[in-house]
Amino acid sequence: MLKKVFRSGFLVRSGHTVLTWLITLVLFLHDTDLRRFEEQGELMQPVVFSLLVLLSVMLYFTVSLMDPGFILTETVQGPLGASEDQEAMLPQATTLRLRRCGYCLLQQPMRARHCKACQRCVRKFDHHCPWIENCVGEQNHRWFLLYLLVQLGALTWAFHIALSGLSWSQVGWGPWLRTHGVLLGCVAVTGVFSMVVLVLLGCHLYLASTNTTTWEFMSRPRIAYLRSWGDGEDNPFDRGLLCNLWDFFCVCRTVAWDRVYQRAHRDHI
C-alpha cells in the first residue's frame, strides 16, 4: 500500500506543498518586510506575494498531474497532427520507419521515448522530472517552463523577504541562532532552490529556442534520426528562433514530426 502511494507521487507532491506553505508562514510570522507591511496596513505586497505563491502551487499540480503526451494506442501520425501552415509545407508521403517500443510494444512516433518510471511512451519526450513525479513531454512542456518562471519569481522574492528579517544587532552566535535559526533556514532553502530553478529555466529556454529536447541534447549520438542527420550540431526540427518559440508556446496540437523531419531532410539535401 505504501509503495503504491509513493509511486503515485503523493509523498513528493505533499512534501512540495507543505514546504512551500511552511516557508510562506515563517515569512509572515517573523519580523520581515511582509509582517511590517501587514502591521502598517499596506497589504498590497503581502497579497501579491501570497497570490504568486498560490499560482506557483497551482502550476506545480497542473504540470504534475496533466498528461505529458502518453501514447495509449498504436496510431500512425498523419497530416491531421500538424498545424495548417505546417501541413501545406510538408510532403504527403514519408519513407521513415517508425520504431517499435520494446516495453509497451507500440509504434513510437518520431521524438517519442519510453519512460521506465511512468511505464509509458511519451510524445516529444524531454525528461522524467522526479520533483513533479511526471514526465515532461509534448503536452506539458510549455506549462513546465511557465511553472519554472513563476517559481523563480516566488523563490527570489521569498529569499529577499527572508533576508529582510535577519538582524545583526545581537551579540553572540548562540542567541542569534536561537532567534534567527528558522529564518536562516528559509534563506538557505530559497537561495539554493532559486539557483537550481534559474539554471533549469535557462536550459529549457535554450532548448525551446532551438526546438530540441533534453533527451535529444544529451543523447544525440544514440538517437537514430539525429545520428543519420550528420555529426554536426544541426537540428532537423530547428525553424529559427521566432518560429521555434511560437511553435513551443502557441502550437498546442500534436505535430507529425516524421513529416517535419522529411521536409527538412529534403531541403538539407
Side-chain angles (χ1 to χ4, degrees):
M1 178 65 181
L2 290 177
K3 184 178 180 181
K4 183 177 180 180
V5 170
F6 181 77
R7 286 183 63 183
S8 67
F10 174 79
L11 294 181
V12 175
R13 296 175 186 125
S14 298
H16 174 88
T17 305
V18 170
L19 181 62
T20 299
W21 290 114
L22 183 62
I23 292 177
T24 303
L25 182 62
V26 169
L27 296 180
F28 272 99
L29 293 179
H30 280 71
D31 188 22
T32 62
D33 286 346
L34 278 183
R35 185 170 181 178
R36 297 186 195 109
F37 284 127
E38 187 179 4
E39 291 175 347
Q40 295 170 6
E42 301 177 6
L43 301 180
M44 178 63 71
Q45 290 198 34
V47 169
V48 173
F49 176 74
S50 300
L51 291 177
L52 184 64
V53 174
L54 179 61
L55 178 60
S56 71
V57 173
M58 292 175 62
L59 284 173
Y60 171 81
F61 278 97
T62 298
V63 176
S64 178
L65 297 175
M66 75 181 300
D67 181 357
F70 292 131
I71 302 172
L72 304 178
T73 58
E74 186 168 298
T75 57
V76 180
Q77 292 183 0
L80 293 177
S83 58
E84 293 180 0
D85 58 331
Q86 288 176 327
E87 183 181 341
M89 296 185 298
L90 300 179
Q92 297 302 312
T94 177
T95 59
L96 293 176
R97 181 180 178 183
L98 296 178
R99 179 177 179 270
R100 186 171 293 277
C101 177
Y103 295 93
C104 54
L105 303 180
L106 296 176
Q107 279 192 326
Q108 292 179 337
M110 184 169 285
R111 310 188 82 180
R113 186 175 187 266
H114 185 88
C115 175
K116 294 182 180 180
C118 296
Q119 298 181 357
R120 293 180 181 177
C121 289
V122 182
R123 296 181 185 274
K124 198 186 175 186
F125 176 84
D126 188 85
H127 72 288
H128 181 88
C129 180
W131 187 244
I132 66 173
E133 273 296 316
N134 195 12
C135 280
V136 177
E138 189 169 59
Q139 293 187 19
N140 68 343
H141 200 172
R142 63 180 62 84
W143 293 103
F144 180 74
L145 198 149
L146 181 60
Y147 160 69
L148 291 178
L149 181 62
V150 173
Q151 186 70 73
L152 179 62
L155 284 169
T156 53
W157 197 352
F159 178 75
H160 173 75
I161 293 171
L163 283 178
S164 70
L166 297 179
S167 174
W168 308 99
S169 59
Q170 287 184 314
V171 179
W173 283 103
W176 188 89
L177 284 176
R178 283 193 294 271
T179 305
H180 300 92
V182 176
L183 205 57
L184 185 63
C186 291
V187 171
V189 171
T190 55
V192 170
F193 276 96
S194 294
M195 295 301 298
V196 172
V197 174
L198 178 62
V199 172
L200 280 174
L201 179 62
C203 290
H204 282 276
L205 281 174
Y206 168 76
L207 293 173
S209 67
T210 58
N211 203 343
T212 308
T213 65
T214 301
W215 172 55
E216 291 172 342
F217 183 81
M218 300 294 294
S219 306
R220 182 185 178 96
R222 297 190 289 117
I223 301 175
Y225 59 83
L226 293 180
R227 188 172 61 247
S228 62
W229 188 258
D231 297 331
E233 297 298 325
D234 291 341
N235 177 15
F237 310 109
D238 189 356
R239 299 178 57 211
L241 176 63
L242 295 180
C243 289
N244 289 337
L245 292 177
W246 173 265
D247 292 342
F248 183 86
F249 288 105
C250 302
V251 176
C252 301
R253 287 172 288 181
T254 301
V255 178
W257 293 110
D258 54 340
R259 290 178 169 268
V260 176
Y261 181 92
Q262 186 71 10
R263 176 184 179 274
H265 185 268
R266 184 190 64 186
D267 295 342
H268 186 69
I269 295 176

